Amino acid sequence: MSATDHTHVRPWRHIERRKSRQIRVGNVLVGGDAPISVQSMTNTLTSDSEATLAQIRALEAAGADIVRVSCPDVDSTRALKTIVQQSNVPIVADIHFHYKRAIEAAEAGAACLRINPGNIGSPDRVREVVQAAKDHGCSMRIGVNAGSLEKDLMEKYGEPCPEAMVESALFHANILRDHDFHEFKISVKASDVFLTVAAYTALADAIDCPLHIGVTEAGPLRVGTIKSAIGLGNLLWAGIGDTIRVSLAADPVEEIKVGYDLLKSLGLRHRGVNIIACPSCARQGFNVIETVATLEERLAHITKPMSLSIIGCVVNGPGEALYTDVGFTGGGAGAGMIYMGGKPHHKQDNAGMIDHIVELVEAHAEKL
Ligand code: SF4
């Protein structure tokens, strides 16, 4: 982190993370003091390994730490072997009910199985799945969803509520513990942000395993991002959450971008250029909105954490530049001021400013 970064630690900016047990999802540590990982899910046919791998590559390039793929049939678990071999990130196999798919996925090299042991069926089947996970070094995720709670819990509680979701999660967790299996994380997702936050908050008190957090079926890009920012933002701010998935009805790459932006906003993780920009107004010395959109695109390849301020005029420009690695503040007569490390550095014509700023940011990232 640079000394001028907005994320500079202050007591009122510090989030105390809940102390969870640490597990492994392939080579990614989840829980404990491991960085909060960002994950997404492919929406291609898993049986089409080429299309699935292309999407995984795009997710990897956006910074995904973990990727989940659905395994609804035997063609998918067959393709999973190739997918796992050619992916650089650990792959989670999403299984519902079919214990054989879970065993096949473990054998194919999945790093983690998303499965609810209480839904697998007979105790023998559960034992077989847990054994396959143990044999192949797989962890598991218990995924409780408000929309698919067990019938008995719906009868007991009448509707999806935090108590029912926690009870369901603990029911599945106890099955794994009874089989002496402890490499698991849990999610208790709902599409309602209040229910999501209340369920995770109660679960965080009830168990020490790492938590995979998300607002499920959050919706399209804008609304889904806002719901996720409220739900996940509340949880993360309270120190809850070891790995996140933003669920959007949009390109999965957007889920990774939003996930990082969320973590960046809370100073929990840093990746790439954090652009600080004003909304612009009649005082702007250049077209702020167009410039920021172009810079965002041209600087997407930078992975090192750094900050850049692009401010329309001197009202807020110098103040914002003070805390960023590189800054540009609009001025009069078609030129503005470049700031480096918070200090005014040199004048720059608006005409060549984008190329120049890209060069400065790239050079600064090289040095980090
Ligand atoms: S910094 Fe200047 S240009 Fe930007 S919104 Fe404020 S007054 Fe307007």
Side-chain angles (χ1 to χ4, degrees):
M1 186 193 308
S2 71
T4 51
D5 201 290
H6 263 248
T7 52
H8 203 60
V9 175
R10 298 277 186 277
W12 40 267
R13 201 176 266 154
H14 178 69
I15 291 177
E16 184 86 29
R17 281 179 65 192
R18 160 183 171 265
K19 287 184 179 44
S20 59
R21 212 176 61 226
Q22 191 168 73
I23 67 159
R24 232 170 222 292
V25 175
N27 58 4
V28 173
L29 294 172
V30 176
D33 56 4
I36 297 171
S37 43
V38 180
Q39 50 178 298
S40 179
M41 187 170 185
T42 55
N43 57 18
T44 49
L45 276 180
T46 305
S47 51
D48 184 348
S49 53
E50 226 166 85
T52 305
L53 275 164
Q55 201 168 55
I56 291 171
R57 299 252 177 284
L59 292 168
E60 285 172 0
D65 298 298
I66 298 170
V67 173
R68 179 161 48 118
V69 303
S70 277
C71 287
D73 48 36
V74 74
D75 287 343
S76 302
T77 47
R78 242 184 245 133
L80 191 64
K81 198 166 182 187
T82 314
I83 293 168
V84 166
Q85 278 167 356
Q86 293 182 30
S87 298
N88 296 313
V89 291
I91 301 296
V92 180
D94 191 275
I95 317 279
H96 284 272
F97 312 115
H98 297 288
Y99 83 109
K100 282 220 164 113
R101 298 296 89 76
I103 295 169
E104 290 158 7
E107 287 170 352
C112 178
L113 304 176
R114 192 272 196 188
I115 192 164
N116 291 349
N119 298 343
I120 298 174
S122 71
D124 277 354
R125 290 180 173 188
V126 175
R127 199 172 308 118
E128 273 187 64
V129 169
V130 173
Q131 194 55 48
K134 283 183 182 171
D135 290 348
H136 297 278
C138 270
S139 50
M140 287 196 203
R141 166 158 72 95
I142 293 167
V144 172
N145 200 309
S148 55
L149 278 170
E150 287 82 9
K151 213 168 144 238
D152 59 324
L153 290 173
M154 284 301 285
E155 274 162 18
K156 179 174 169 187
Y157 290 99
E159 60 173 4
C161 60
E163 294 78 10
M165 292 172 74
V166 171
E167 194 172 323
S168 173
L170 297 179
F171 160 68
H172 295 293
N174 286 334
I175 295 175
L176 294 181
R177 287 158 155 174
D178 288 348
H179 285 81
D180 198 24
F181 190 87
H182 307 280
E183 283 286 295
F184 64 88
K185 52 189 172 129
I186 305 186
S187 62
V188 279
K189 298 186 185 181
S191 55
D192 176 274
V193 292
F194 291 100
L195 183 51
T196 303
V197 172
Y200 275 107
T201 305
L203 185 65
D205 283 341
I207 196 161
D208 70 346
C209 71
L211 300 182
H212 162 124
I213 61 170
V215 175
T216 196
E217 292 125 23
L221 187 58
R222 181 169 50 86
V223 172
T225 298
I226 290 170
K227 275 194 207 166
S228 298
I230 294 170
L232 302 193
N234 258 288
L235 290 167
L236 291 166
W237 204 320
I240 296 170
D242 300 287
T243 180
I244 68 171
R245 193 245 169 141
V246 175
S247 298
L248 299 175
D251 183 339
V253 166
E254 296 297 334
E255 297 187 353
I256 299 297
K257 288 187 191 167
V258 172
Y260 272 101
D261 286 342
L262 238 156
L263 294 178
K264 273 196 243 175
S265 305
L266 290 170
L268 286 164
R269 206 162 158 194
H270 311 285
R271 182 185 195 275
V273 185
N274 185 19
I275 302 180
I276 287 131
C278 76
S280 81
C281 72
R283 285 198 190 91
Q284 66 182 351
F286 62 99
N287 189 324
V288 175
I289 293 174
E290 265 180 25
T291 304
V292 169
T294 308
L295 283 170
E296 199 176 27
E297 230 177 84
R298 291 199 43 193
L299 297 173
H301 65 290
I302 307 270
T303 54
K304 301 241 183 85
M306 60 174 291
S307 53
L308 167 69
S309 56
I310 303 293
I311 309 291
C313 79
V314 291
V315 170
N316 289 319
E320 288 295 345
L322 208 55
Y323 300 100
T324 51
D325 297 303
V326 177
F328 181 82
T329 293
M337 178 63 73
I338 292 280
Y339 290 74
M340 298 297 293
K343 296 190 182 69
H345 201 269
H346 56 272
K347 273 186 120 182
Q348 168 63 41
D349 283 351
N350 290 353
M353 67 180 283
I354 292 183
D355 286 341
H356 185 59
I357 291 168
V358 169
E359 274 168 28
L360 290 173
V361 169
E362 284 174 344
H364 187 79
E366 274 292 306
K367 284 191 264 154
L368 293 172

